[in-house]
Amino acid sequence: MNDNAPQKFTDVLTGKLASKLPPKLAERAERGPVVAVVKLHGTITPTPSPMNRGTISLQTTESALSRAFGHDRLSAVVLSINSPGGAPTQSALVADRIRQLSAEKKVPVLAFCEDVAASGGYWLACAADEIYAHRTSMVGSIGVVSASFGLDGLLERIGVQRRLYTAGANKVRLDPFSPEKDEDVRWLHGLQTELHEQFTDWVRERRGSKIAEADVFTGEVWTGAKAKELGLVDGLGTLRGVVAERFPKAHIVDVEPRKPLLARLSGGGPGARLGLGTSASSLVEALEQRAQWSRFGL
């Protein structure tokens, strides 16, 4: 009898059993290497709606990142990024967590820029060891922006008085219902300059000599093709194309963040975001997020 017969029988049986399993279980049965993909899609904000999964923060991404880096037979972790930016602190917190997990698990991190990886979205991309983009992606916007409204004239027109009581001369800088002060604008500009320097330092730390020129820090946004020339990304390509070339034997496994309770109960679809209990503040937040995307024609 052939000495290899028992092993061949086992291999055939294992293959037949794996073919009958659901896709995810079949992947585990094959025991091959894995590339875990984490989606970082949406605006970056510390106050996501419980119904809305289209935002990024440390809170919303922690579960997905931990599970991705904790996967068995891990060859790499991939970040699929589609974000126009947002809160700088949350951008930094998520990026720091990615670097911490990468160092602990000793696995490389690859970032793929989809439609937009701008401002805080590019901050996240720089947490990766390698950055890729489609040639039509919009990449960069290394800068800081603040926006508000001046409503003091409106209050005067409709006969409404603003009554504000504070302890501390600078407690209500740039209040939209009060006249703008030059000193407050100078204060805001100083704050923005400091944050811009921190952003610039982070990009220089992560990209190093790959950056071609200092003009990349002006807040400008470029196509993926131009970003490649400037050293903001390492290559052009799609997630599946690059992963198939770099890790030909690996299975791609999508790791989703855990849904908020209300999203699970309602299905979390777009129609659930503006349902019962929608507040005025939620509508304003939705408009602000829409404005961030619209800057890039999306």
Side-chain angles (χ1 to χ4, degrees):
M1 184 176 178
N2 189 336
D3 292 340
N4 294 327
Q7 183 61 47
K8 288 181 179 179
F9 176 78
T10 301
D11 292 342
V12 171
L13 181 60
T14 301
K16 288 185 176 181
L17 288 174
S19 67
K20 302 295 184 181
L21 293 173
K24 289 186 178 180
L25 293 179
E27 286 180 4
R28 295 174 186 174
E30 293 177 22
R31 306 297 296 177
V34 166
V35 171
V37 178
V38 178
K39 289 184 179 180
L40 299 177
H41 289 193
T43 57
I44 305 170
T45 172
T47 56
S49 164
M51 298 296 297
N52 187 356
R53 293 196 299 146
T55 57
I56 302 168
S57 68
L58 183 60
Q59 178 183 354
T60 60
T61 59
E62 173 64 34
S63 62
L65 291 173
S66 296
R67 283 161 39 226
F69 280 96
H71 209 292
D72 293 338
R73 311 177 310 282
L74 191 64
S75 294
V77 169
V78 165
L79 309 175
S80 171
I81 297 174
N82 199 8
S83 174
T89 301
Q90 290 300 318
S91 303
L93 288 173
V94 175
D96 289 348
R97 181 60 173 152
I98 292 168
R99 293 314 312 154
Q100 179 187 22
L101 289 168
S102 176
E104 289 177 0
K105 303 298 182 178
K106 296 181 173 57
V107 293
V109 179
L110 282 64
F112 288 84
C113 309
E114 294 193 2
D115 298 282
V116 179
S119 195
Y122 186 68
W123 190 308
L124 296 177
C126 285
D129 301 295
E130 300 173 26
I131 305 175
Y132 296 88
H134 192 274
R135 61 179 60 255
T136 62
S137 301
M138 288 183 238
V139 181
S141 190
I142 304 172
V144 180
V145 62
S146 299
S148 183
F149 297 94
L151 302 175
D152 51 303
L154 175 63
L155 294 184
E156 183 178 353
R157 178 177 299 180
I158 63 177
V160 176
Q161 295 181 348
R162 170 72 160 162
R163 295 176 178 174
L164 191 63
Y165 310 98
T166 68
N170 300 322
K171 186 64 178 176
V172 287
R173 288 187 186 271
L174 298 173
D175 173 52
F177 296 99
S178 302
E180 185 179 74
K181 299 178 181 178
D182 290 341
E183 62 183 275
D184 290 350
V185 175
R186 288 193 294 271
W187 167 82
L188 178 61
H189 181 69
L191 188 64
Q192 290 177 320
T193 299
E194 183 179 353
L195 289 172
H196 189 207
E197 290 173 353
Q198 293 178 17
F199 195 172
T200 299
D201 290 344
W202 168 249
V203 175
R204 289 190 186 280
E205 175 188 337
R206 299 299 302 156
R207 301 300 297 168
S209 60
K210 296 177 182 178
I211 297 174
E213 51 189 90
D215 288 345
V216 299
F217 302 113
T218 61
E220 187 62 270
V221 65
W222 294 274
T223 64
K226 185 63 176 179
K228 171 68 168 62
E229 294 179 16
L230 295 172
L232 294 174
V233 304
D234 297 289
L236 302 176
T238 63
L239 187 156
R240 292 191 175 275
V242 173
V243 169
E245 182 180 345
R246 293 284 307 279
F247 310 97
K249 296 182 180 181
H251 303 287
I252 296 177
V253 177
D254 293 320
V255 182
E256 296 284 347
R258 290 189 175 89
K259 295 181 182 180
L261 177 60
L262 290 180
R264 279 183 280 165
L265 293 175
S266 66
R273 296 178 184 175
L274 296 177
L276 183 64
T278 296
S279 65
S281 61
S282 297
L283 291 173
V284 171
E285 288 176 9
L287 290 173
E288 289 176 345
Q289 292 178 22
R290 180 67 264 168
Q292 286 182 284
W293 286 107
S294 65
R295 291 171 51 216
F296 303 98
L298 298 171

